[in-house]
């Protein structure tokens, strides 16, 4: 046994010596972690089991103190964890304390009040079922409201009172909603959207009525008080109508400006005013028209209209005739009774005569059409006024130069638009906007001069700068040409003087060479020993070498001469 132990210790020592420093540190770290974990496990297992009253940690010290004091008033031992969770000894005590905290409104803000019911139990009470139902309905309504495009967030509270035996004692179901609109949203002023939120609540909660629903924004303003929203709706409707009119005016303005600026350029057509008066009311109109009857349609292809129409068609005709001959007799009834014959007719009784009467009755059928329509908003009156500037042209003298005024500016002529051009522009605008004289439309086209003082000053300054630049360039070019001519003349004169100097030197050298040669020839003839200086001998050797090179390499010598000539 001792040998085995020594053998094992020897192997461990070998391994330990083979390990590096990092491996040894990792080994010590693992051992330390295991020891700390075992100590923590024994400590936790030995401590008594506690149940949390509220699972969420409580950060507010004042709220935490109130909760602990209320639990202590019930004579229950409490424990607060380092994270702020309040614990009691058992589950039954925790349930009782939750009910007390809810009843006395001691649940901290920011803690879900329904969270206390998120626990798994073997059984569930009717109270918990009602709470879960209310919680599910509240969460679902909140999700529906948050799904709206105009809503950023929403908070929903629904109160479902306990059922009473008598209806008179029954408290109504109430609901309150607080919405946070998205930036730029108009839901707070849109009645239809607020009514939609009310309908979501009414369909989701049984027995909920409009008077028991309160919808507010994040500033506390009541949004479903529709009696107070009438003024806002009227103002909103007026604002929308003004936007429609403004967009229509911008549309017409763009059409007119585009057509005129293409003809007269944008610089001449600057001012355009347009005013549209619209009737935004909704009207229902009923009308009946009597139309002629078409007997024959127009023949296709004919250059004229050969259709036949009549005002009416005879549907029936009746003729009656009455002939009477003899005396007229009008019985007056029984004897002794006053008759019914008027005094005027009594004078005509018992007269002889002859009566012939004919009656013609015709029933005519007339075509008619009844129309019932709802008129949408229409334009009541449209007015347009536009100003088109004329053309400014410079005046030139006989030399085709702009004429300058005494103040140094350039003289100009103004050419206004003719009456025909103004009428043509007016007709163009009228056809472009659908001009209707019956509704009082008016189109005014004027030719008023636009103040162009600043523009003319800039043009004059630019012209004079250009003129000055041209003068400077001309002077510079003239000086440059003069310098070039002077340089060319200087080079020509220099070359001519150099040429003459070279010719004079060559001529002098030739005469001196001729004199020397003549002297040598005379000395040789006389047999006199003539001594030649070193310089003369060197010069003669060079001449001989040059002559030999010219005979041996004529091309190189010719190239050298050409180079000298080019340099000269």
């Amino acid at each position: 046994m001792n040998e085995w132990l020594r053998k094992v210790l020897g192997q461990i020592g070998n391994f330990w010596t083979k390990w590096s420093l990092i491996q040894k540190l990792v080994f010590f770290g693992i051992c330390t972690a295991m020891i700390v974990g075992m100590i923590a496990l024994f400590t936790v297992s030995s401590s008594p089991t506690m149940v949390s009253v509220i699972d969420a940690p409580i950060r507010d010290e004042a709220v935490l103190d109130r909760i602990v004091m209320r639990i202590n008033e019930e004579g229950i031992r409490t424990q607060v964890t380092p994270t702020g969770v309040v614990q009691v000894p058992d589950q039954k005590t925790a349930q009782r304390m939750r009910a007390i905290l809810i009843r006395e409104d001691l649940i901290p803000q920011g803690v879900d009040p329904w969270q206390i019911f998120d626990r798994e139990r073997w059984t569930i009470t009717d109270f918990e079922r009602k709470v879960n139902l209310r919680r599910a309905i509240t969460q679902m309504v909140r999700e529906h409201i948050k799904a709206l495009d105009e809503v950023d967030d929403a908070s929903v509270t629904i109160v479902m009172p306990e059922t009473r035996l008598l209806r008179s004692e029954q408290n109504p179901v109430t609901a309150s909603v607080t919405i946070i609109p998205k930036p730029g949203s108009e839901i707070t002023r849109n009645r239809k959207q607020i009514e939609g939120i009310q309908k979501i609540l009414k369909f989701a909660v049984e027995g909920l009525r409009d008077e028991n629903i309160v919808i507010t924004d994040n500033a506390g303003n009541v949004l479903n008080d529709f009696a107070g929203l009438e003024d806002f709706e009227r103002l909103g409707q007026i604002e929308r109508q003004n936007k429609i009119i403004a967009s229509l005016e911008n549309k017409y303005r763009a059409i007119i400006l585009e057509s005129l600026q293409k003809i007269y350029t944008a610089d001449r057509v600057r001012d355009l005013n347009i005013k549209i008066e619209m009737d935004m009311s909704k009207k229902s109109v009923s009308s009946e028209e009597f139309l002629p009857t078409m007997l024959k349609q127009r023949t296709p292809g004919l250059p004229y209209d050969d259709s036949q129409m009549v005002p009416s068609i005879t549907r029936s005709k009746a003729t009656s005739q009455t002939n009477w001959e003899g005396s007229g007799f009008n019985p007056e009834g029984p004897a002794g009774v006053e008759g019914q014959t008027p005094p005027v007719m009594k004078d005509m009784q018992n007269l002889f005569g002859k009566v012939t009467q004919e009656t013609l009755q015709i029933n005519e059928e007339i075509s008619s059409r009844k129309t019932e329509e709802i008129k949408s908003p229409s334009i009541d009156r449209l007015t347009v006024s536009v100003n088109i500037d004329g053309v400014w042209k410079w005046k030139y003298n006989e030399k085709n130069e702009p004429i300058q005024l005494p103040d140094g500016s350039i003289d100009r002529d103004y050419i206004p638009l003719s009456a025909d051009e103004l009428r043509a522009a007016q007709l163009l605008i009228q056809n472009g906007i659908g001009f209707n004289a019956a509704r009082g439309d008016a189109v005014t086209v004027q030719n008023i001069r636009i103040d162009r003082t600043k523009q003319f000053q800039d043009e004059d300054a630019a012209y004079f700068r250009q003129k000055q630049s041209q003068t400077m360039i001309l002077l510079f070019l003239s000086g440059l040409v003069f310098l070039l001519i002077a340089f060319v003349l200087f080079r020509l004169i220099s070359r001519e003087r150099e040429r003459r100097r070279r010719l004079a030197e060559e001529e002098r050298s030739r005469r001196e060479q001729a004199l020397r040669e003549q002297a040598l020839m005379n000395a040789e003839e006389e047999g006199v020993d003539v001594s030649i200086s070193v310089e003369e001998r060197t010069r003669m050797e060079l001449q001989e070498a040059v002559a030999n090179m010219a005979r041996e390499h004529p091309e190189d010598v010719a190239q050298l001469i050409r180079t000298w000539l080019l340099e000269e």
Side-chain angles (χ1 to χ4, degrees), residues 167-183:
R167 181 176 297 178
S168 59
E169 299 179 356
Q170 180 66 43
N171 294 325
V173 180
T174 59
S176 64
V177 179
T178 301
I179 61 174
I180 300 176
K182 290 184 178 179

Side-chain angles (χ1 to χ4, degrees), residues 95 116-117 121 123-133:
Q95 292 179 356
I116 60 177
F117 298 97
R121 303 179 179 89
T123 59
I124 186 170
T125 63
D126 292 340
F127 172 73
E128 290 174 337
R129 289 191 181 94
K130 292 180 180 179
V131 169
N132 292 334
L133 175 61

Side-chain angles (χ1 to χ4, degrees), residues 341-349:
T341 304
V344 178
M345 299 298 295
K346 287 182 179 181
D347 296 337
M348 299 177 63
Q349 289 183 357

Side-chain angles (χ1 to χ4, degrees), residues 548-562:
N548 294 332
M549 183 177 294
R551 286 193 298 268
E552 295 176 0
H553 304 285
E555 296 180 358
D556 296 339
V557 175
Q559 184 65 29
L560 179 60
I561 295 172
R562 281 196 295 268

Side-chain angles (χ1 to χ4, degrees), residues 361-375:
Q361 184 177 359
I362 301 174
N363 292 330
E364 299 286 344
E365 190 69 26
I366 301 175
S367 298
S368 63
R369 179 175 61 189
K370 293 183 178 181
T371 304
E372 294 184 0
E373 60 179 349
I374 297 176
K375 289 188 176 182

